[in-house]
Amino acid sequence: MFYLNESISCWEKIKQTALNGKPIVLYGTGNGADKIIDFCEKHNIPLSGIFVSDEFCRGQIFRGYKVEAYKEIIQRIGKDFLLIIAFASELPEVLQRFQELGKAHTTLAPHLGLYKDENLDEKWFAKHQKTLQQTYAILADNLSKKVFLDMLNYKFSGKIHYLFDHVTQRQDDLQLLDLNKDEIYYDLGAYTGDTALEIPAKARVLVEADYKNFGKLQSNLPKSDNNILINAAIWKEEGQIQFSNQSGRAASIYGAKSSTITCTTIDKIVKKTKLIPTYIKMDLEGAEKEALAGGANTIQQYKPKMLIAAYHFNEDIFDIPLLLHQLNPNYQIYLRKHPYVPDWEINFFVK
């Protein structure tokens, strides 16, 4: 498989390390650490300790392990251990810390599915080989192809350098789209309005499903002739849909269902508002493909520029560009990785 540089998966590396008797240490607690500990317990892999950043170390217990400071781990077992990063961050100081630890220890940050646990082993790559090759071929530039290969190798190996090798900044990448003050901007998954003002626009259509997020959005960007606010989920059809109201960025149709909400489509919004989008930002916690299906007429007829999240499901990295190419073969599709560990904030820029 031309796109894999690595021969040993992240999870096999952890198993081999345990068989060789080398200590394994986790950095971080929470959901990610829970999944990693579950894997280790399932395969009878002992952990030698868990540590957190000094400011969070209070002698607490997590899953039966005393949570230590990094220096306590070093004093107790030395420096020769496999370090597993078990939490996510985009903070510059934390990312720098990850890189420093990566130089001092063999370090992995396992790829953990946001909404579906799936082992990205050789079988997964073999199953999707054709679509991966098709996606690589349609990406618009060499940097996109490098990021694509980086993300595949990271997902397989867990090696953190792939998350830093070709990282760029979101604001710089927006320049790919040649956005201007006359855009009709559809912000789908508008959250509290944090991305709504990232570019000047003639008019904005702001759609947010979570009712608490929507309340904050209303406070931050009051409804006006230039700001149309819609409290609904973007989907492939109109109706009602089960939803997880988590009052945060993770509010989604996936996960634990806590309510039923209205769903609508891009095509229906365009028809109702008579505002033809020139730019669509789409971060829908896994519903991006369905949103594209529900906006097929708009996309085919008007070819709006787009920014689309590509990391909620493993298949997003090829399903989304192939669907876009099918809807409009003239699209130029760029893939960019923004600062984050693990492989979150992977986005397609489309024009």
Side-chain angles (χ1 to χ4, degrees), residues 85-96:
I85 296 172
F87 69 103
S89 184
E90 61 181 334
L91 297 175
E93 62 272 21
V94 177
L95 297 181
Q96 182 177 353

Side-chain angles (χ1 to χ4, degrees), residues 117-128:
D117 290 330
E118 185 176 18
N119 186 10
L120 270 67
D121 56 13
E122 292 90 345
K123 292 181 180 179
W124 186 92
F125 284 93
K127 175 183 176 181
H128 298 293

Side-chain angles (χ1 to χ4, degrees), residues 86-278:
F87 69 103
S89 184
E90 61 181 334
L91 297 175
E93 62 272 21
V94 177
L95 297 181
Q96 182 177 353
R97 174 70 166 159
F98 289 162
Q99 289 182 291
E100 291 171 352
L101 288 169
K103 295 175 182 178
H105 311 278
T106 301
T107 302
L108 302 176
H111 166 76
L112 300 170
L114 280 169
Y115 299 114
K116 181 174 68 174
D117 290 330
E118 185 176 18
N119 186 10
L120 270 67
D121 56 13
E122 292 90 345
K123 292 181 180 179
W124 186 92
F125 284 93
K127 175 183 176 181
H128 298 293
Q129 183 171 2
K130 182 177 179 180
T131 48
L132 290 170
Q133 290 173 332
Q134 290 171 337
T135 303
Y136 184 84
I138 64 172
L139 293 174
D141 66 352
N142 287 332
L143 180 55
S144 297
K145 295 178 188 292
K146 290 175 181 177
V147 171
F148 184 74
L149 297 179
D150 282 347
M151 293 307 97
L152 295 180
N153 279 280
Y154 162 73
K155 288 173 184 289
F156 180 72
S157 72
K159 293 184 178 180
I160 65 171
H161 76 83
Y162 288 113
L163 298 173
F164 294 99
D165 285 351
H166 297 103
V167 70
T168 52
Q169 298 296 323
R170 177 189 175 100
Q171 284 302 123
D172 294 335
D173 294 329
L174 281 170
Q175 296 178 21
L176 289 167
L177 302 181
D178 301 319
L179 301 173
N180 61 70
K181 61 182 178 61
D182 294 321
E183 304 293 348
I184 307 299
Y185 178 10
Y186 276 47
D187 192 341
L188 310 181
Y191 186 43
T192 61
D194 59 328
T195 57
L197 299 177
E198 66 183 358
I199 63 160
K202 184 177 180 180
R204 297 179 179 86
V205 177
L206 309 163
V207 186
E208 171 58 38
D210 182 90
Y211 71 95
K212 289 187 177 179
N213 291 341
F214 187 75
K216 295 176 182 178
L217 175 63
Q218 288 177 305
S219 298
N220 293 333
L221 284 99
K223 183 178 179 180
S224 68
D225 291 341
N226 296 327
N227 291 328
I228 296 176
L229 279 61
I230 300 172
N231 186 199
I234 296 292
W235 194 239
K236 59 185 176 182
E237 58 194 5
E238 286 188 304
Q240 299 288 309
I241 195 167
Q242 291 293 303
F243 187 75
S244 171
N245 276 304
Q246 297 186 16
S247 304
R249 291 185 182 275
S252 172
I253 64 168
Y254 300 101
K257 305 298 190 294
S258 56
S259 63
T260 300
I261 63 169
T262 298
C263 59
T264 188
T265 72
I266 295 171
D267 287 342
K268 292 294 184 181
I269 295 174
V270 172
K271 183 177 180 180
K272 182 177 180 179
T273 64
K274 295 181 171 54
L275 287 173
I276 298 170
T278 62

